[in-house]
Amino acid sequence: MGSVDGYDAITWAVLAAFASANLLVLFAASERGAPIRRWALRQLKRITRRSDLDWFDWVPVWVGGVAIFSAVVAYGLSSGQYACSPASDAFGLVASGRAFWAGQNPFTASICGGSHEVPYGLAAVLIDALGSLGGIVGIYAIWGLVAFATVPLAWSLAGADRRWVMAYLASSVLLVPLVSTQIDGATNALVPATVLLSLVLARRRERAAAVVGGFLSTARFPNVFPLLGMAGAQHRSRYGSFALIALTFGAVSLLSYLHWGMQFLGPVFLDQLGRRSFSLNFYGVLLFENALPSTVWVEGVQSALTIALVLVVFAKVRSPLLSAALTLTGLALLTPFLSYNILVWLLPVALVGPRARWWLWGIAVVGSVNYDLAYIIWASVDGLTWPSAVLDVVLTGLLVGLFIDLWRQAGADTGTPAWERLAAPADPVR
């Protein structure tokens, strides 16, 4: 087996600790977990000297997440782990932001003696531009704020179930560990943040939600699909919202193309459609066996299935949260490049309810073990591909199970005004 250093051991220990805590939260929230729940409440009361849990809102989760993120970044900077190199994603974002201020191409940046492709659209480039004013620290700071914006947004949407949702997010492998250890995890968190922000805005101002969502989705173009699917659950103008999201996204993308041409279109769209690095879903098995050709037919079928998914969700699902969850899960199944970082896109699924959170726990655990051990060590170092291939199949099965469960909930979800369906069951923590 390939050599394992101290950093790998620490990574696995942290992931195991978070996965175990996340499982404990899930069990404590269940009917069988009443004894654990009562014990945990007694311990919390001893520590806080409070007889209630009114203090446990999004603030301690946000503060704790930001503190861990800051500590990890500080250690990385002080230890030299973030050294400049042509393959450094963080320095690539700094260079992209500075290229934007200089009126140059921000999608292919020259850094550290090499060229680095930055495949993110205008919304992400503008965030990079602001962060680049503070150099590498500024980039980590601004993307950390984006990532942890998911916490207060989730709190505002989770209804009576919000304290369990907060406890789940605080212990999930897909939030604090993922966004703290990889800058790509933090940048990919813009996708769930955009979905949650759109849900919050659409409660009162559907047009504003459509414009903001359409613009922010230019950062990662697949992000536009859950927003289009959610438009079908609007209670005022579902077709108008759909059109406004599409027009905003299209207009910003067109302006970017008119200004930068193929320098924009290639890295942000075309190169991503045919990306074949690896995948944590069933595509990974095909990639290991060199059985997935890079042809227009593969992209054509994938695009057709994605569009069909969006249209069916738009037409059939009347809960905005379920619409987003179904589309995001479908995208994870359909993409030939499901990286570990992309799993952070699934965070809004945690708001659907306890069953969805159990599925998400399994997806997070299998995805992290697959990436950090089976792929990074066994496949990439030792050439032993079958463990990762098996886990690819397992993760695909979990995604299919989650999708079916969400679809069943959507089919049973009738007779309630669309935006009232964001509220979850009563919170047993209290």
Side-chain angles (χ1 to χ4, degrees):
M1 294 295 177
S3 60
V4 176
D5 57 23
Y7 180 81
D8 292 324
I10 293 173
T11 297
W12 298 339
V14 169
L15 291 176
F18 271 84
S20 300
N22 207 218
L23 182 61
L24 186 62
V25 168
L26 287 170
F27 188 71
S30 66
E31 293 182 5
R32 295 183 178 181
I36 295 178
R37 187 161 61 246
R38 288 192 293 267
W39 176 84
L41 287 173
R42 287 196 299 269
Q43 303 311 311
L44 283 173
K45 289 174 183 177
R46 289 176 182 175
I47 296 171
T48 62
R49 306 296 183 185
R50 300 260 318 248
S51 60
D52 58 62
L53 285 177
D54 288 343
W55 60 271
F56 184 59
D57 53 17
W58 66 269
V59 176
V61 178
W62 187 89
V63 170
V66 169
I68 294 174
F69 178 87
S70 302
V72 172
V73 171
Y75 173 77
L77 292 172
S78 62
S79 64
Q81 289 192 13
Y82 301 154
C84 191
S85 73
S88 171
D89 291 324
F91 279 95
L93 300 181
V94 175
S96 174
R98 290 175 175 172
F100 175 82
W101 290 125
Q104 300 170 355
N105 171 25
F107 307 105
T108 303
S110 298
I111 59 167
C112 312
S115 180
H116 186 93
E117 190 173 271
V118 183
Y120 310 137
L122 187 59
V125 168
L126 293 178
I127 295 173
D128 291 336
L130 291 175
S132 68
L133 298 176
I136 191 69
V137 174
I139 284 293
Y140 274 98
I142 198 165
W143 282 111
L145 291 175
V146 168
F148 288 104
T150 56
V151 174
L153 290 171
W155 171 266
S156 67
L157 291 166
D161 203 28
R162 54 172 55 96
R163 284 181 172 79
W164 282 123
V165 172
M166 288 297 101
Y168 181 87
L169 291 179
S171 56
S172 175
V173 171
L174 299 183
L175 184 56
V176 177
L178 181 56
V179 304
S180 298
T181 56
Q182 301 192 40
I183 189 64
D184 277 355
T187 57
N188 272 287
L190 182 59
V191 173
T194 299
V195 169
L196 296 176
L197 178 60
S198 297
L199 286 168
V200 170
L201 292 176
R203 283 175 154 177
R204 296 183 178 275
R205 302 185 65 182
E206 291 179 357
R207 292 182 179 178
V211 172
V212 171
F215 172 73
L216 290 177
S217 63
T218 60
R220 302 282 194 284
F221 76 87
N223 194 184
V224 76
F225 296 125
L227 302 182
L228 293 173
M230 285 161 47
Q234 305 287 12
H235 65 294
R236 294 191 184 93
S237 178
R238 48 199 307 245
Y239 295 103
S241 294
F242 186 99
L244 198 52
I245 292 168
L247 286 173
T248 303
F249 176 85
V252 174
S253 298
L254 178 60
L255 289 174
S256 300
Y257 174 72
L258 292 176
H259 185 75
W260 286 290
M262 290 302 298
Q263 292 178 330
F264 157 78
L265 191 63
V268 176
F269 284 93
L270 301 181
D271 294 350
Q272 301 312 302
L273 288 173
R275 189 165 181 176
R276 296 287 185 270
S277 302
F278 70 96
S279 191
L280 299 183
N281 57 18
F282 69 96
Y283 283 104
V285 179
L286 300 176
L287 291 170
F288 281 136
E289 299 298 328
N290 294 317
L292 184 63
S294 297
T295 67
V296 69
W297 292 104
V298 175
E299 282 77 42
V301 172
Q302 179 202 6
S303 300
L305 290 174
T306 301
I307 293 171
L309 169 67
V310 171
L311 293 179
V312 170
V313 169
F314 176 87
K316 298 293 184 181
V317 182
R318 290 296 169 264
S319 163
L321 185 55
L322 282 171
S323 298
L326 276 164
T327 310
L328 289 167
T329 306
L331 288 174
L333 281 166
L334 292 172
T335 177
F337 179 60
L338 180 63
S339 73
Y340 179 47
N341 297 312
I342 290 177
L343 291 179
V344 76
W345 293 13
L346 297 174
L347 280 179
V349 174
L351 277 68
V352 173
R355 286 177 60 88
R357 290 194 281 273
W358 279 101
W359 285 110
L360 198 57
W361 177 84
I363 291 168
V365 170
V366 173
S368 61
V369 171
N370 192 352
Y371 178 75
D372 285 300
L373 178 59
Y375 177 75
I376 292 295
I377 303 297
W378 292 342
S380 299
V381 177
D382 300 324
L384 189 65
T385 61
W386 70 262
S388 185
V390 169
L391 291 175
D392 289 343
V393 175
V394 173
L395 185 61
T396 300
L398 291 170
L399 289 168
V400 170
L402 173 61
F403 187 88
I404 293 173
D405 197 41
L406 293 171
W407 185 256
R408 287 174 176 172
Q409 290 188 56
D413 189 18
T414 58
T416 307
W419 292 102
E420 292 182 13
R421 287 194 279 272
L422 284 172
D427 186 356
V429 170
R430 295 182 60 81

